Amino acid sequence: MGYRNALEVLPPELISQIQQYVDGEIIYIPRQEENRRKWGDNTHTRSDLHARNDEIYRLYLEGTSVKELSERFYLSTQCIYKILSEYK
C-alpha cells in the first residue's frame, strides 16, 4: 500500500467534497472486492508454509515425536498439534 497525494490523482471537485468529511487527515480507501488479493499471493509464503506443514505431517507419520518436530522447526508443541490436526 502506497501513499499518493490526492492533488495528483483526483479532480479538484472531488477533493472539495472529500474535505467536507475529512480535512487534512489520512484516509484509507480499500480495494474493490474483485481486486483484492489473499494473504501470501504476492510472495511464496503461502506455498512455503504448505510445504513445511506437509513435511511436518510426513515426519510425524514416520514416527518423529511432536517434541522433536517442535525443536526441528522452531515451533511450539501447540503449533505442531494444530498443524497435525489440520491433516487428520
Side-chain angles (χ1 to χ4, degrees):
M1 178 173 65
Y3 170 85
R4 301 205 32 210
N5 190 325
L7 295 171
E8 296 172 1
V9 294
L10 300 175
E13 311 83 48
L14 182 55
I15 292 174
S16 179
Q17 288 180 339
I18 293 171
Q19 287 171 329
Q20 293 175 17
Y21 299 94
V22 288
D23 190 15
E25 297 179 48
I26 297 173
I27 62 171
Y28 170 73
I29 300 174
R31 287 185 168 272
Q32 295 177 340
E33 191 63 35
E34 62 270 12
N35 295 330
R36 295 186 105 182
R37 296 182 185 139
K38 293 182 179 179
W39 177 84
D41 282 352
N42 289 343
T43 64
H44 296 283
T45 303
R46 180 176 282 190
S47 60
D48 291 347
L49 288 176
H50 186 69
R52 180 204 65 187
N53 293 349
D54 285 347
E55 176 74 1
I56 288 171
Y57 188 63
R58 184 185 65 73
L59 290 170
Y60 178 76
L61 291 177
E62 292 175 358
T64 307
S65 73
V66 170
K67 184 176 186 217
E68 290 172 318
L69 291 170
S70 173
E71 292 170 358
R72 178 172 177 176
F73 290 94
Y74 303 100
L75 297 170
S76 68
T77 55
Q78 293 88 347
C79 188
I80 298 293
Y81 281 120
K82 183 179 177 184
I83 292 167
L84 296 175
S85 71
E86 291 172 359
Y87 281 82
K88 291 183 179 179

